[in-house]
Short mmCIF file of all heavy atoms in Angstrom, two decimals:
data_model
loop_
_atom_site.label_atom_id
_atom_site.label_comp_id
_atom_site.label_asym_id
_atom_site.label_seq_id
_atom_site.Cartn_x
_atom_site.Cartn_y
_atom_site.Cartn_z
N GLU B 85 9.70 -12.49 13.44
CA GLU B 85 10.07 -12.58 12.01
C GLU B 85 11.33 -13.43 12.00
O GLU B 85 12.07 -13.58 12.93
CB GLU B 85 10.44 -11.17 11.50
CG GLU B 85 9.24 -10.23 11.53
CD GLU B 85 9.69 -8.83 11.10
OE1 GLU B 85 10.92 -8.59 10.92
OE2 GLU B 85 8.80 -8.04 10.95
N GLY B 86 11.65 -13.94 10.77
CA GLY B 86 12.87 -14.69 10.58
C GLY B 86 13.90 -13.82 10.00
O GLY B 86 13.81 -12.56 9.99
N GLU B 87 14.98 -14.43 9.46
CA GLU B 87 16.08 -13.69 8.87
C GLU B 87 15.81 -13.34 7.43
O GLU B 87 16.43 -12.51 6.88
CB GLU B 87 17.39 -14.47 8.95
CG GLU B 87 17.85 -14.66 10.39
CD GLU B 87 18.33 -13.38 10.98
OE1 GLU B 87 19.11 -12.65 10.32
OE2 GLU B 87 17.87 -13.05 12.08
N SER B 88 14.91 -14.07 6.77
CA SER B 88 14.59 -13.77 5.41
C SER B 88 13.18 -14.14 5.08
O SER B 88 12.53 -14.94 5.79
CB SER B 88 15.57 -14.37 4.44
OG SER B 88 15.73 -15.74 4.71
N LEU B 89 12.69 -13.48 4.01
CA LEU B 89 11.30 -13.76 3.58
C LEU B 89 11.27 -13.60 2.07
O LEU B 89 12.19 -13.04 1.47
CB LEU B 89 10.36 -12.73 4.28
CG LEU B 89 10.50 -11.28 3.84
CD1 LEU B 89 9.19 -10.58 4.06
CD2 LEU B 89 11.54 -10.58 4.69
N LEU B 90 10.22 -14.10 1.49
CA LEU B 90 9.91 -13.87 0.08
C LEU B 90 9.43 -12.45 -0.04
O LEU B 90 8.48 -12.13 0.69
CB LEU B 90 8.93 -14.86 -0.46
CG LEU B 90 9.40 -16.33 -0.47
CD1 LEU B 90 8.26 -17.25 -0.91
CD2 LEU B 90 10.61 -16.54 -1.37
N ARG B 91 9.99 -11.62 -0.85
CA ARG B 91 9.62 -10.25 -0.82
C ARG B 91 8.17 -10.03 -1.10
O ARG B 91 7.56 -10.73 -1.92
CB ARG B 91 10.47 -9.45 -1.82
CG ARG B 91 10.17 -9.76 -3.29
CD ARG B 91 10.98 -8.99 -4.22
NE ARG B 91 10.72 -9.40 -5.63
CZ ARG B 91 11.42 -9.01 -6.66
NH1 ARG B 91 12.50 -8.21 -6.45
NH2 ARG B 91 11.11 -9.43 -7.82
N SER B 92 7.58 -9.05 -0.35
CA SER B 92 6.16 -8.84 -0.52
C SER B 92 5.87 -7.66 -1.44
O SER B 92 4.75 -7.30 -1.76
CB SER B 92 5.53 -8.53 0.82
OG SER B 92 6.17 -7.48 1.47
N GLN B 93 7.02 -6.96 -1.90
CA GLN B 93 6.78 -5.85 -2.84
C GLN B 93 8.11 -5.59 -3.54
O GLN B 93 9.16 -6.00 -3.05
CB GLN B 93 6.42 -4.60 -2.05
CG GLN B 93 7.36 -4.30 -0.92
CD GLN B 93 6.77 -3.29 0.06
OE1 GLN B 93 5.90 -2.55 -0.29
NE2 GLN B 93 7.29 -3.21 1.25
N THR B 94 8.03 -5.02 -4.71
CA THR B 94 9.24 -4.80 -5.48
C THR B 94 9.93 -3.52 -4.99
O THR B 94 11.03 -3.17 -5.50
CB THR B 94 8.94 -4.61 -7.00
OG1 THR B 94 7.72 -3.91 -7.13
CG2 THR B 94 8.87 -5.93 -7.67
N SER B 95 9.38 -2.82 -4.02
CA SER B 95 10.03 -1.61 -3.49
C SER B 95 11.39 -1.91 -2.89
O SER B 95 12.23 -1.03 -2.77
CB SER B 95 9.15 -0.97 -2.42
OG SER B 95 7.89 -0.86 -2.88
N THR B 96 11.64 -3.25 -2.64
CA THR B 96 12.98 -3.59 -2.07
C THR B 96 14.10 -3.23 -3.08
O THR B 96 15.18 -2.87 -2.68
CB THR B 96 13.00 -5.12 -1.80
OG1 THR B 96 12.70 -5.79 -3.06
CG2 THR B 96 12.05 -5.49 -0.74
N VAL B 97 13.73 -3.31 -4.36
CA VAL B 97 14.73 -3.03 -5.39
C VAL B 97 15.17 -1.52 -5.30
O VAL B 97 16.29 -1.22 -5.58
CB VAL B 97 14.22 -3.40 -6.78
CG1 VAL B 97 15.33 -3.16 -7.82
CG2 VAL B 97 13.78 -4.82 -6.80
N GLN B 98 14.24 -0.66 -4.97
CA GLN B 98 14.57 0.78 -4.78
C GLN B 98 15.76 0.89 -3.86
O GLN B 98 16.66 1.65 -4.14
CB GLN B 98 13.42 1.56 -4.15
CG GLN B 98 12.17 1.78 -4.94
CD GLN B 98 11.13 2.59 -4.09
OE1 GLN B 98 11.57 3.34 -3.25
NE2 GLN B 98 9.89 2.36 -4.39
N ILE B 99 15.63 0.18 -2.76
CA ILE B 99 16.66 0.34 -1.69
C ILE B 99 18.03 -0.18 -2.26
O ILE B 99 19.07 0.47 -2.13
CB ILE B 99 16.28 -0.51 -0.47
CG1 ILE B 99 14.95 -0.02 0.07
CG2 ILE B 99 17.36 -0.43 0.60
CD1 ILE B 99 14.98 1.39 0.59
N ARG B 100 18.00 -1.30 -2.92
CA ARG B 100 19.26 -1.90 -3.39
C ARG B 100 19.91 -0.98 -4.43
O ARG B 100 21.09 -0.76 -4.49
CB ARG B 100 18.96 -3.30 -4.03
CG ARG B 100 18.64 -4.27 -2.95
CD ARG B 100 18.46 -5.70 -3.45
NE ARG B 100 18.22 -6.52 -2.28
CZ ARG B 100 19.21 -7.12 -1.62
NH1 ARG B 100 20.43 -6.97 -1.97
NH2 ARG B 100 18.92 -7.88 -0.53
N VAL B 101 19.02 -0.43 -5.38
CA VAL B 101 19.59 0.47 -6.41
C VAL B 101 20.20 1.70 -5.78
O VAL B 101 21.29 2.17 -6.14
CB VAL B 101 18.48 0.81 -7.36
CG1 VAL B 101 18.88 1.97 -8.29
CG2 VAL B 101 18.16 -0.40 -8.26
N MET B 102 19.46 2.29 -4.81
CA MET B 102 19.96 3.55 -4.23
C MET B 102 21.19 3.32 -3.37
O MET B 102 22.03 4.22 -3.26
CB MET B 102 18.84 4.18 -3.37
CG MET B 102 17.73 4.77 -4.22
SD MET B 102 16.72 6.06 -3.38
CE MET B 102 15.57 4.96 -2.53
N GLN B 103 21.36 2.11 -2.84
CA GLN B 103 22.55 1.83 -2.05
C GLN B 103 23.77 1.72 -2.98
O GLN B 103 24.87 2.04 -2.66
CB GLN B 103 22.43 0.53 -1.30
CG GLN B 103 21.61 0.66 -0.06
CD GLN B 103 21.50 -0.70 0.63
OE1 GLN B 103 21.10 -1.62 0.06
NE2 GLN B 103 21.85 -0.76 1.96
N ALA B 104 23.48 1.23 -4.21
CA ALA B 104 24.60 0.92 -5.13
C ALA B 104 24.96 2.08 -6.03
O ALA B 104 26.05 2.12 -6.63
CB ALA B 104 24.21 -0.27 -5.94
N HIS B 105 24.03 3.10 -6.18
CA HIS B 105 24.29 4.17 -7.07
C HIS B 105 24.06 5.50 -6.44
O HIS B 105 23.35 5.57 -5.40
CB HIS B 105 23.43 4.06 -8.35
CG HIS B 105 23.63 2.83 -9.12
ND1 HIS B 105 22.87 1.65 -8.96
CD2 HIS B 105 24.54 2.48 -10.03
CE1 HIS B 105 23.28 0.74 -9.76
NE2 HIS B 105 24.32 1.22 -10.42
#
Side-chain angles (χ1 to χ4, degrees):
Chain B
E85 298 176 353
E87 293 292 310
S88 48
L89 66 154
L90 296 175
R91 68 180 176 191
S92 55
Q93 51 196 341
T94 37
S95 313
T96 55
V97 183
Q98 288 180 31
I99 302 296
R100 290 185 178 271
V101 166
M102 289 200 278
Q103 282 178 307
H105 298 96

